[in-house]
Structures are given as C-alpha cells and as structure tokens.
Amino acid sequence: RQVNSQLSITNRQSVIVPVDENFGIIIPKLGANARVIPNVDPYDSRAYQYALTQGIAHARGTSVPGASGNIFLFSHSSVNFYEASRYNSIFYLINKLEAGDDIILYYNTSKFTYRVTGKTFVEPTDVSYLTNATKKTEKTVTLMTCWPPGTTLKRLLVFAALSQE
C-alpha cells in the first residue's frame, strides 16, 4: 500500500498557475512566475524602473504573444536570492536557460509556449535587438537582463520561438 501511494506521488506532474493570465510569464526550469507590464517605454528610465517593481517589462512597440514579430521582455538581475527578491529580479537565473527549454507566456487568457533557441551577451549601448531581433513573420520572444547579475556591464539576451506543439 505504501509503495502505491509513493508511486502516485512521483507520477504527478506539477502545474504552475500563472500569477496573471492577461499577460504573464512562467519559466518552469527556473520556477519563475510573474506579471508582465505591457507597453513600457524602454528608453524612459523612470517608467521602466516603476514597471519593474510590478513585474517583467514588455517593451512598447514590440509584438505580443501569439502575434507575428518579436516580443521583447526585460527585468532586473541580482547577485543573490535575497537581492533578487528585494528588487523583483525575476530574470536573475535566465543564464541557466538552454536551447529547448520552455518559456510560457499568457496573454488574454491564452497560453503560448516558446522554446529557447539561443542566447548571447551584448554591450549595454546595443539596442538594435529591440527592433531587429526577428523577421516580422516569425513569432519570437527575447528576454533581457543585466550581466553579470547585479551589474550593468553587459546585457544577457535569451531568444525563443513559438512552439508548434
């Protein structure tokens, strides 16, 4: 009897309920689950710093989940878990993402699964990825945070494409 109860526990899949089905992000590998604040001006420090206290920022003018084009999302990084919690640093572990990992976005109560295709590091002054990250017909998402965590020396970008599954 004990063996059966253990078996049923180990076969259960954990389901992460999004904190916001209107616009939210879940990264299962990292245990990340946050609201996405839409249409944040990525060039207005005051606007995006405020948005980042509420969740992940969605860059104004970029696509939305399910639509063609690139969705650009950004958040803080921090050097440790305490600082990450204190500063709402949802993306402080995105360097752990690898090709094939899932990024789940919710938008207007619909679920969209994107698969990581790669990552790169760029200079903080390089903003070309905001507009040139993808062809307009592709459905992609780019996650960005500062690197190394807690600094502004570089930017870490993670790229993902909408899964066809």
Side-chain angles (χ1 to χ4, degrees), residues 143-159:
L143 309 181
M144 185 197 79
T145 195
C146 295
W147 191 261
T151 73
T152 57
L153 298 175
K154 297 272 188 186
R155 300 295 182 264
L156 167 59
L157 302 172
V158 175
F159 307 102

Side-chain angles (χ1 to χ4, degrees), residues 115-144:
R115 295 258 157 72
V116 173
T117 57
K119 59 187 171 184
T120 193
F121 297 92
V122 299
E123 296 299 320
T125 54
D126 182 0
V127 294
S128 63
Y129 47 83
L130 272 169
T131 55
N132 299 327
T134 186
K135 295 176 185 170
K136 300 270 186 224
T137 57
E138 295 176 2
K139 296 178 180 180
T140 60
V141 62
T142 300
L143 309 181
M144 185 197 79

Side-chain angles (χ1 to χ4, degrees), residues 2 7 34 36 48-50 60 64 71 78 85 105 109 118:
Q2 236 177 344
L7 183 60
V36 176
Y48 70 70
Q49 290 294 351
Y50 177 74
R60 179 181 296 150
V64 293
I71 307 156
S78 293
S85 298
L105 298 178
T109 69

Side-chain angles (χ1 to χ4, degrees), residues 91-103:
F91 286 174
Y92 83 106
L93 290 176
I94 67 169
N95 65 307
K96 305 276 187 217
L97 292 176
E98 299 169 348
D101 289 336
D102 287 346
I103 297 169

